[in-house]
Each structure stands twice: as structure tokens, then as C-alpha cells.
Amino acid sequence: MPENIYTVLKNTIKSNDFMQSEHTIHDKRIHFSYCKNIVDQELIHHELLHRIQISEEEFDHLLALKSLIPFENIKVSSNVDEIVQSLIKGFIYVQLEHDFNEGLLIDVADLQRGYRSNNEADNEYSVIGPKAGFVEDLDTNLNLLRKELVSEHLRFEEYIKGSLSQTRVTIVYVEGICNPQHVDTIRQRIVDAEFDEVSDSSIIDQVITDNANSPFPLLMSTERVDRAKFSLLSGQVAILSSGSPYVISGPITVFEFFASPEDFYLPWVLASFFRCIRYLGVAFSILASPFYVAVLTFHYSVIPQPLLGPIIESRANVPFPPIIEVLLMEFTVDLLREAGARLPTKVGQTLGIVGGVVLGTAAVQAGLTSNILIIIVSLSAVSSFATPIFKMANTIRFLRFPLIGLAAAWGGFGITIGLVILIGHLLRLKSLGSPYIVPLFPFRFREFANSFIRFPFSLSYNRPRYLRPLKLQRYKVSRSKDRSDYNNE
């Protein structure tokens, strides 16, 4: 018996954006199957349905129906695989009631939706690679993911959260790659969460996170389409909400916050070098100011002899102890950064440059701070900007202050205490139940491929094992290394 394609499609594409509808036109029932987020629904209603409804000709078979439809790319198909691939590319499948074994594939893809001139990823900019970012419209964002991941295994699950806002929240994952346990964990936390208003995906992030009291972000937040796509293909689960241009995903590790999508568009040697620079920048940003306080308060003996004279000279007229001097400058820099972020782009850039130069020069001339501290604080601020993810950059800015306080109290011993507490806190953190600092703890040597440095693609063909993906390999490395020799005789 021939298979009922209408039923087969329903059981194959198990995603909330897959729609099947029925229309009665001229006493004949016509069935439609399509993915709503990637088709032009206005084209379907105003052109396709309208032309069929106003037609006075009979259409007892598919060829007669085909002659009534004013579209160029139309074909009759009964191949399920071809139909599924076409549907996820933006086609609509039309069937007559008496014949569910074949139908018409009509190209109604909305090719321009989502790709606009004003949806670049402003906060995660990269020189090389795609520039497309998400927008505030949920359907547009799902459309972007459908275009980037052309697979029938891409799943959307939609929920309505917020008793007053009635916000649409969608869970996205790739079936067959993502571990079902991660999907179940996120699904259970979203369903059980109760709140009256959801204005951004970051609220969902704070509600479902494993530890809401930690300053470290435990879920990735991105506005880049390519980063979200890479997360899904790695085996992570993504969450989108209407009204938010940011996608959150997990489980993640702390090292993913220092990896830029641009790393995968550069040769692996350069990408690894730049990633190491980011780690050094983070270490300098966190420790530079506390070390300055510790050395000038307790550990004069560690200052090299050539530097001792310039330091004494620069601090000769400063009336404050090192702790007050450092806190004053750190507060000034963070105040300038916050003020610049809240102002229009051009005004904010001007404020940052002029404010930094004018206030820094004035503070030194007035004897409120030393030249050396100005250099240290400025380099610390610049180093924090090397972190690709804004949420982790904020965490780094915050961590300096408790370390500065410990350095003022107990010097180098206080900094050691702070680092031990910080490492202990990181050891306890989990992202959706997965360890936060894999591959350091638990130690997994094979996972170093894309953590500290970026290995070449020939050595990083596996997905991260900590995600426990159902399909470990991305591709067959032996096939990628095959070479063919062509001899012209």
C-alpha cells in the first residue's frame, strides 16, 4: 500500500514551527504542509490561496491544480526525502484530499527575512566571518536558524511564559546530536518557572541558572547567528524569547567565554595565539591593581632597584594610601565606561577619550594619584575589553574589587586567599548539571583541543565530550585527509 505522505511528514518533522492545515475550496479539500518561520506567509495567503479561490476551473488532479498556481518553481513529488529537504528550505507541499501519495512542491521561501542592513552583531563584532545577528522578532530569529541549519532534525519547542507578558519562549536543539537529558533539564526548569513578565532572555537565564548567586555567567548569551549555530551543532540547547535579540545556550564551560567565532575563521596558529593573549589579558586585568596595592603596602622589597626611584617620585605628593588611590581610579574608569555605554555611540566614544585623558592628566597634576597607577588602571581596562562576551567582561571587572580589598588587608597572602576562594567557587559551579571548568576539573586531556588553544580541524573533529552528544564525530577525519592524484597522460 502506498504511504500516506501527509502522515509521514507529521511524524518526521517534529517541530513546533512545522504546520499542516486544511482548506476547502470549491467543495474540494486541499492540504498544506510547511515550516511557518521560513516561508512567506503573505505570499501563501494573498497569492497561492487567493488564485485558487478565484479560479473557476476544476482541479480534480494535481496537474490541473498546478496550472492554476502562478509560481515558477513548482514540481510534482512523491519522494519523502526530497519533500522533507524542500520543506526545511522554504517550500510548501500541497496535496489533494483523494491523493495523499504525491503533491506539489512550491517555492515560497522568504529569502530576505532576517537579513537586513541593521541587524549586525554590534556587541560581538568580528572582522572575518558572518556579520548577521539576531533581532527582537522571534519568528525572524527562528527563520535565521532554519536557513543556517538546513536539517529536518532541528527541533523547536515553544512555551508561553509570563502571566502578564505572555512571552513566547522557544527551546531549540538538534535531535540526534543533543543529549536528551540537557533538553529535559531546560524544559523542566522553564515549565516550572513562575514569573509575571519576561522582557528579555537574560531573565530566563537568571531563573533557570544553576547558581543565581554566582557572578559568573553559567549560560552563554550571544547575538551572533554563527555562534548560536555552532552551539547547536556542538550538542548544546538554545533558548530564544520574543522581544530579545540575544540567544542563551548551555551547558557551557568558562573557557567558551574567551573563544571568539573569529577564531574558527583564522588559521589555527593565529587563533591560538590570540586566544592566549585574551587569557593573559584577563589575568592582568584581575591581578594588576591588587598587586600594586599589595606591593606598595606590604612588599617594598620586591620592587627592583631601577623602579624604586620612579615610584617614590611619582607618589611623593599623593596624600592617599595605595588602597584609596586605586579605588578612586578604578571607580573613575568604571564610571566613564558606564557613562559612555549609556550615551549615543559617537558621544560615548568622545566621552571615553576626552574624559580619560583630561581626568587622568588632572589627577596626576593635582597629586591625587601616581603616573604608574594611571598606566596600570588603563591597561587593566583595555585588557578587560579583550573578552568577547560582555557578561564575562563584567564579571572580570567585578572580581578586581574584592581582590583589591584583600591585598590592602594582607598583601600577597590576601591575594592568594582570594584566588583560592575563586578557584574553589569555580570548582563547585555547574552549567545545567555539567562541570563548569572542564577539562581542568574533571581533568580530561582530550578536551584541551578547543579550550585553551584552537587545534586544527584535522585534530578537532569530535564534539565536546562533556556535552555527551549522541553523535560524537563532526566528520570523518580519514576522509578529509584523502588525496587524489590525477596524472595526465
Side-chain angles (χ1 to χ4, degrees):
M1 178 180 178
E3 58 183 353
N4 186 326
I5 296 179
Y6 189 82
T7 304
V8 171
L9 294 177
K10 183 178 181 180
N11 296 328
T12 301
I13 309 179
K14 299 177 182 179
S15 184
N16 281 8
D17 69 326
F18 178 65
M19 306 295 295
Q20 289 185 310
S21 60
E22 175 186 310
H23 298 269
T24 301
I25 302 174
H26 302 327
D27 298 327
K28 295 180 178 63
R29 290 185 180 180
I30 305 178
H31 296 264
F32 298 88
S33 302
Y34 59 94
C35 295
K36 68 177 183 178
N37 292 317
I38 200 169
V39 300
D40 189 338
Q41 297 195 44
E42 183 176 351
L43 192 64
I44 294 175
H45 293 290
H46 293 175
E47 292 292 336
L48 179 59
L49 281 174
H50 180 68
R51 290 300 182 94
I52 298 175
Q53 289 172 344
I54 65 174
S55 174
E56 297 180 356
E57 299 181 20
E58 294 292 330
F59 46 89
D60 295 326
H61 52 85
L62 287 176
L63 294 180
L65 180 60
K66 180 180 178 181
S67 64
L68 302 178
I69 301 175
F71 292 90
E72 294 182 0
N73 194 358
I74 304 176
K75 55 185 175 182
V76 179
S77 179
S78 58
N79 186 306
V80 175
D81 292 336
E82 179 188 24
I83 295 169
V84 170
Q85 289 299 315
S86 298
L87 287 176
I88 59 179
K89 291 179 180 178
F91 282 70
I92 185 172
Y93 192 58
V94 182
Q95 296 170 284
L96 295 176
E97 183 182 25
H98 62 272
D99 188 3
F100 279 141
N101 301 318
E102 63 177 358
L104 297 177
L105 278 173
I106 308 170
D107 186 1
V108 290
D110 190 352
L111 298 178
Q112 298 301 320
R113 184 176 182 181
Y115 293 101
R116 307 195 315 258
S117 59
N118 62 341
N119 69 326
E120 292 187 2
D122 294 330
N123 296 323
E124 296 178 64
Y125 182 78
S126 66
V127 178
I128 303 175
K131 302 294 189 296
F134 293 105
V135 295
E136 285 77 8
D137 182 66
L138 178 61
D139 290 328
T140 300
N141 294 337
L142 298 179
N143 178 291
L144 290 169
L145 288 177
R146 273 286 181 204
K147 289 178 180 178
E148 293 294 327
L149 290 176
V150 186
S151 171
E152 67 272 21
H153 300 296
L154 185 63
R155 299 287 183 258
F156 296 156
E157 294 184 13
E158 185 172 309
Y159 301 89
I160 303 298
K161 301 305 297 182
S163 57
L164 297 179
S165 64
Q166 294 293 297
T167 305
R168 296 166 57 200
V169 178
T170 302
I171 299 175
V172 184
Y173 61 96
V174 179
E175 190 176 53
I177 295 179
C178 180
N179 192 305
Q181 183 178 347
H182 301 322
V183 181
D184 293 339
T185 300
I186 287 185
R187 184 188 296 123
Q188 174 260 319
R189 293 185 184 185
I190 289 181
V191 170
D192 293 347
E194 296 183 2
F195 34 81
D196 57 357
E197 187 264 344
V198 180
S199 57
D200 189 80
S201 59
S202 59
I203 295 178
I204 302 174
D205 184 343
Q206 298 177 59
V207 171
I208 70 173
T209 189
D210 293 65
N211 187 348
N213 297 320
S214 174
F216 288 89
L218 300 180
L219 292 173
M220 178 65 70
S221 178
T222 181
E223 61 176 345
R224 291 180 62 105
V225 177
D226 58 340
R227 184 187 281 273
K229 178 180 68 173
F230 181 79
S231 299
L232 292 172
L233 291 177
S234 297
Q236 296 177 344
V237 186
I239 304 173
L240 298 85
S241 67
S242 58
S244 174
Y246 283 89
V247 173
I248 58 177
S249 60
I252 49 95
T253 66
V254 67
F255 303 106
E256 293 184 44
F257 290 96
F258 305 103
S260 170
E262 197 172 21
D263 293 348
F264 297 94
Y265 307 133
L266 292 171
W268 73 273
V269 176
L270 296 178
S272 300
F273 173 72
F274 293 140
R275 192 174 293 185
C276 291
I277 287 179
R278 294 188 200 113
Y279 288 127
L280 292 175
V282 169
F284 185 87
S285 179
I286 294 176
L287 298 175
S289 296
F291 269 119
Y292 177 86
V293 174
V295 168
L296 293 186
T297 306
F298 295 97
H299 311 294
Y300 299 103
S301 58
V302 303
I303 302 176
Q305 186 68 30
L307 283 178
L308 191 58
I311 291 177
I312 294 175
E313 183 179 351
S314 65
R315 283 193 47 81
N317 298 321
V318 177
F320 305 116
I323 176 65
I324 301 299
E325 180 189 10
V326 169
L327 289 178
L328 179 63
M329 290 308 304
E330 291 285 359
F331 174 77
T332 302
V333 170
D334 279 346
L335 186 62
L336 284 172
R337 189 179 335 197
E338 283 296 310
R342 303 296 176 265
L343 292 172
T345 305
K346 294 182 179 180
V347 179
Q349 292 175 348
T350 303
L351 175 67
I353 297 173
V354 175
V357 172
V358 172
L359 290 179
T361 304
V364 172
Q365 292 179 349
L368 299 178
T369 185
S370 64
N371 292 324
I372 294 177
L373 181 60
I374 291 290
I375 297 173
I376 291 176
V377 171
S378 300
L379 288 177
S380 297
V382 172
S383 300
S384 67
F385 289 132
T387 306
I389 303 300
F390 182 72
K391 287 187 176 181
M392 182 57 74
N394 286 340
T395 300
I396 293 171
R397 290 166 57 188
F398 167 78
L399 292 176
R400 287 203 296 265
F401 290 96
L403 287 177
I404 289 172
L406 291 172
W410 297 297
F413 179 67
I415 295 177
T416 303
I417 292 176
L419 293 178
V420 170
I421 294 174
L422 178 62
I423 294 173
H425 177 68
L426 288 172
L427 289 172
R428 296 183 57 189
L429 289 179
K430 291 185 177 181
S431 174
L432 298 180
S434 298
Y436 191 55
I437 60 172
V438 173
L440 290 181
F441 178 80
F443 184 81
R444 296 174 181 174
F445 179 75
R446 288 182 296 181
E447 294 296 300
F448 278 76
N450 276 319
S451 296
F452 290 100
I453 61 175
R454 207 217 91 186
F455 279 20
F457 289 116
S458 60
L459 298 178
S460 57
Y461 49 86
N462 285 335
R463 293 181 171 88
R465 295 177 185 271
Y466 78 91
L467 293 173
R468 291 169 290 146
L470 301 183
K471 186 178 179 181
L472 182 61
Q473 284 191 333
R474 299 180 189 272
Y475 57 89
K476 297 290 185 180
V477 65
S478 57
R479 294 181 181 179
S480 68
K481 290 184 177 181
D482 286 346
R483 297 292 184 270
S484 298
D485 295 328
Y486 297 94
N487 296 322
N488 296 325
E489 297 181 357

